[in-house]
Amino acid sequence: NNTLAILPIISTSHNPRSTEAATKYFLTQAAASATVLFSSMLSAWQTGTWDITHMSYTPSNILLSMALAMKLGLAPLHFWLPEVLQGSTLFTALIIVTWQKLAPMSLIFLTINNLNPTILLALGLLSSTIGGWGGLNQTQTRKIMAYSSIANLGWMATIAPIMTNIMIMNLLIYLVMTTALFSFLIVSKSKTIQDTTTTWALSPMMTIMMTFLLLSLGGLPPMTGFAPKWLILEELTTQNLIPLAVLMATFSLLSLFFYTRLAYTTTLTLSPNTLQTKFKWRFKQTLSTPLTMILSTMATLLLPLTPLMLK
């Protein structure tokens, strides 16, 4: 239902690229759903029960792990996500990287006892690596956000087999940060990195908030985005997975680089063309500005509340 409902939303703008994006999205999600069904069918065939929360048959568990990874867009099953985001509008892209992640994440939460922990840890590490590496070469903000999503989901997949409450906290913080950043991109109509250079002419306050948001997404200490990374690394070291923790922390620097580059173009550079007027034309806002400000405040200042969020 979730997949079928978003297809018309992706293909609302009538151009070949959005149609292609909708087709790609449908094919990957349908394949993943079919794999989930196939894994439960295999389990039912072996054990006589259809309950996916108590699957004891190993091939079924492996298939389910890979199917949910494909639904989320975890590497190496991530190829559809940047392409689909690039083919849709900024608002649709926001829905795909936030709302559409809730269903597969809740499935992971329900079936975590059956999913293969080694596969999840490997997929998490690979996703954080590819999410960082893939975003380095991008100029389109939607593709950057797609790779950012892959990297963040990698962190969630890594902590899922160890501590689900940190995974949920990470998911909620990710949703808040991504929604806030996308709402800024929608208001400023920034589709490429070059577009962000004229954000100062729209609203200087928004430019400053966007910088803090990007640094929070990168996971820098005084911001909210640091909390999940800190807790995940702490938990990985407690579980004696020190090499994994070191690699995750190292590859998060790749993501931090392209967030910092976006922050640099937004705040510290002026657009190369000579602006005849000091400010851009201001049309009627389509997004609620108070909501954007609440989300961006939450996305930057919630770090002191970390102990409360874990209770």
Side-chain angles (χ1 to χ4, degrees), residues 146-165:
Y147 283 107
S148 150
S149 171
I150 293 163
N152 275 296
L153 289 165
W155 282 83
M156 286 177 232
T158 310
I159 198 63
I162 301 165
M163 220 170 174
T164 44
N165 57 349

Side-chain angles (χ1 to χ4, degrees), residues 36-297:
V36 171
L37 278 172
F38 182 53
S39 75
S40 59
M41 203 165 75
L42 264 181
S43 175
W45 186 35
Q46 287 292 324
T47 58
T49 173
W50 282 96
D51 189 1
I52 62 163
T53 54
H54 298 103
M55 287 199 306
S56 53
Y57 187 49
T58 313
S60 292
N61 295 345
I62 293 170
L63 270 173
L64 186 62
S65 308
M66 296 311 285
L68 292 175
M70 191 173 176
K71 270 197 166 301
L72 279 172
L74 288 175
L77 305 162
H78 67 285
F79 293 102
W80 60 273
L81 189 60
E83 297 294 323
V84 169
L85 253 63
Q86 189 53 37
S88 36
T89 61
L90 282 165
F91 185 68
T92 312
L94 166 64
I95 296 171
I96 293 168
V97 293
T98 54
W99 186 255
Q100 294 298 103
K101 302 292 177 217
L102 293 179
M105 268 298 177
S106 53
L107 268 175
I108 284 181
F109 182 72
L110 286 171
T111 59
I112 195 62
N113 297 328
N114 316 317
L115 300 179
N116 190 314
T118 319
I119 288 181
L120 281 177
L121 292 172
L123 290 176
L125 178 61
L126 196 61
S127 297
S128 66
T129 312
I130 288 177
W133 244 313
L136 291 179
N137 204 22
Q138 301 302 330
T139 54
Q140 304 283 331
T141 49
R142 279 166 295 187
K143 278 196 174 176
I144 288 176
M145 291 311 293
Y147 283 107
S148 150
S149 171
I150 293 163
N152 275 296
L153 289 165
W155 282 83
M156 286 177 232
T158 310
I159 198 63
I162 301 165
M163 220 170 174
T164 44
N165 57 349
I166 297 182
M167 179 191 85
I168 290 168
M169 181 195 134
N170 192 349
L171 178 65
L172 293 173
I173 289 175
Y174 158 77
L175 293 177
V176 167
M177 291 192 298
T178 309
T179 310
L181 186 55
F182 258 109
S183 53
F184 281 138
L185 293 175
I186 291 165
V187 167
S188 61
K189 295 185 175 61
S190 300
K191 291 187 178 66
T192 62
I193 291 182
Q194 196 180 352
D195 293 345
T196 60
T197 55
T198 55
T199 316
W200 64 272
L202 189 68
S203 161
M205 187 65 205
M206 192 169 85
T207 313
I208 296 162
M209 284 309 293
M210 201 162 155
T211 310
F212 285 131
L213 252 174
L214 285 159
L215 296 177
S216 180
L217 260 167
L220 284 185
M223 325 285 183
T224 314
F226 176 60
K229 284 189 168 58
W230 171 30
L231 292 166
I232 289 170
L233 289 175
E234 190 181 29
E235 198 55 42
L236 287 174
T237 43
T238 310
Q239 298 293 333
N240 216 13
L241 295 163
I242 294 163
L244 180 65
V246 170
L247 286 169
M248 292 289 288
T250 311
F251 289 125
S252 71
L253 293 175
L254 293 169
S255 304
L256 183 61
F257 173 77
F258 63 76
Y259 292 132
T260 318
R261 187 175 59 184
L262 259 179
Y264 172 72
T265 57
T266 308
T267 325
L268 301 173
T269 57
L270 287 178
S271 125
N273 50 340
T274 50
L275 291 171
Q276 299 304 318
T277 53
K278 203 72 177 160
F279 293 100
K280 281 185 184 179
W281 281 97
R282 295 195 181 191
F283 296 107
K284 195 174 186 304
Q285 294 289 353
T286 48
L287 265 179
S288 164
T289 323
L291 178 69
T292 308
M293 289 319 291
I294 291 164
L295 284 172
S296 52
T297 310

Side-chain angles (χ1 to χ4, degrees), residues 18-41:
S18 64
T19 314
E20 185 187 337
T23 312
K24 282 177 179 169
Y25 188 81
F26 172 71
L27 289 174
T28 46
Q29 296 295 321
S33 302
T35 315
V36 171
L37 278 172
F38 182 53
S39 75
S40 59
M41 203 165 75

